[in-house]
Amino acid sequence: AQSVTQLDSQVPVFEEAPVELRCNYSSSVSVYLFWYVQYPNQGLQLLLKYLSGSTLVESINGFEAEFNKSQTSFHLRKPSVHISDTAEYFCAVIENNNNDMRFGAGTRLTVKP
Amino acid sequence: EAGVAQSPRYKIIEKRQSVAFWCNPISGHATLYWYQQILGQGPKLLIQFQNNGVVDDSQLPKDRFSAERLKGVDSTLKIQPAKLEDSAVYLCASSLGFLAGQGETQYFGPGTRLLVL
């Protein structure tokens, strides 16, 4: 079965600095990849997802992630973070024709002024 | 459009008591999911419904957990009797069709935070 590893449990960063949240997955078949964001006391919101086509996917608020099949990675990046980006970020994977989406343990991004 | 609704938002019970959570998915969404999110971990799928039928409940502890979606709309998740390790956030999600295995987006509710003492 597929699994997801988020390499950093916490990432502190200063406002306007770049950030990368790392995600690696393992699977023997083709997969679909997701990044979800969870603000305090709220549910998960989809940030972006990779289904097929271009390996670089972007969100409306400046985040992007690149699917790297050879590295089995789907790292999330933003060139300049804001205080409002402070949240928990979850990477998730689902195998083609499988119903079970697997989540990583999450990375808590804290943006400091 | 209204999002996924869940209630209650918080619940505190003693071990061996029973508890029930309610979820109302986005209108028209055929698939409904229940996840358990233990502190410090990512969500784990407990059960998936397509309309009122169970698609996957392989990770549901059936000796104490049960779930139903009788009319194919809202759903109830029950724990009876609760154990200390059931303390977690229980998330409900829904998706439009039956395409989880094709990467269809799941929309999450705010969750119910359960504390078992």
Side-chain angles (χ1 to χ4, degrees):
Chain A
Q2 74 274 36
S3 66
V4 180
T5 301
Q6 290 184 245
L7 296 162
D8 306 294
S9 60
Q10 297 187 58
V11 173
V13 64
F14 287 104
E15 193 174 19
E16 297 183 3
V19 71
E20 178 180 77
L21 307 183
R22 296 179 292 170
C23 172
N24 287 88
Y25 70 93
S26 66
S27 174
S28 58
V29 301
S30 61
V31 297
Y32 305 105
L33 296 154
F34 305 79
W35 276 99
Y36 279 86
V37 58
Q38 187 175 33
Y39 299 101
N41 297 316
Q42 295 186 28
L44 280 74
Q45 302 172 31
L46 180 68
L47 195 58
L48 47 76
K49 66 180 180 181
Y50 169 77
L51 300 181
S52 64
S54 172
T55 57
L56 185 66
V57 289
E58 299 176 352
S59 72
I60 58 173
N61 57 353
F63 283 94
E64 64 179 30
E66 186 160 18
F67 170 54
N68 188 321
K69 189 174 182 180
S70 62
Q71 300 289 325
T72 62
S73 67
F74 191 55
H75 301 331
L76 182 70
R77 303 184 183 94
K78 189 170 185 179
S80 176
V81 293
H82 303 290
I83 298 288
S84 59
D85 293 325
T86 294
E88 186 110 24
Y89 291 80
F90 291 93
C91 181
V93 61
I94 192 164
E95 291 179 334
N96 188 25
N97 293 322
N98 193 332
N99 292 313
D100 185 8
M101 184 156 65
R102 298 292 176 97
F103 286 83
T107 297
R108 183 172 299 278
L109 174 65
T110 303
V111 182
K112 299 180 285 186
Chain B
E1 69 182 0
V4 177
Q6 290 188 246
S7 67
R9 292 295 310 275
Y10 305 92
K11 190 74 177 179
I12 301 174
I13 62 173
E14 295 187 349
K15 60 183 180 183
R16 291 189 290 274
Q17 286 187 324
S18 62
V19 64
F21 313 127
W22 175 81
C23 171
N24 193 26
I26 293 172
S27 178
H29 279 199
T31 303
L32 185 148
Y33 313 78
W34 282 104
Y35 288 86
Q36 180 192 56
Q37 185 179 12
I38 292 173
L39 187 64
Q41 299 180 20
K44 182 185 81 171
L45 180 68
L46 292 176
I47 189 168
Q48 178 185 353
F49 293 92
Q50 286 183 0
N51 293 321
N52 60 350
V54 175
V55 174
D56 183 356
D57 63 357
S58 57
Q59 299 185 90
L60 187 73
K62 298 180 186 63
D63 58 334
R64 298 183 298 106
F65 286 65
S66 64
E68 59 184 15
R69 193 185 184 200
L70 293 176
K71 297 182 179 179
V73 181
D74 57 347
S75 175
T76 303
L77 176 69
K78 297 179 182 178
I79 308 175
Q80 182 179 7
K83 292 185 175 181
L84 296 177
E85 59 261 36
D86 298 331
S87 294
V89 177
Y90 291 85
L91 296 165
C92 179
S94 69
S95 60
L96 181 62
F98 310 123
L99 299 176
Q102 301 296 315
E104 188 175 47
T105 297
Q106 298 181 27
Y107 298 86
F108 285 80
T112 295
R113 188 176 298 274
L114 173 68
L115 179 60
V116 182
L117 301 176

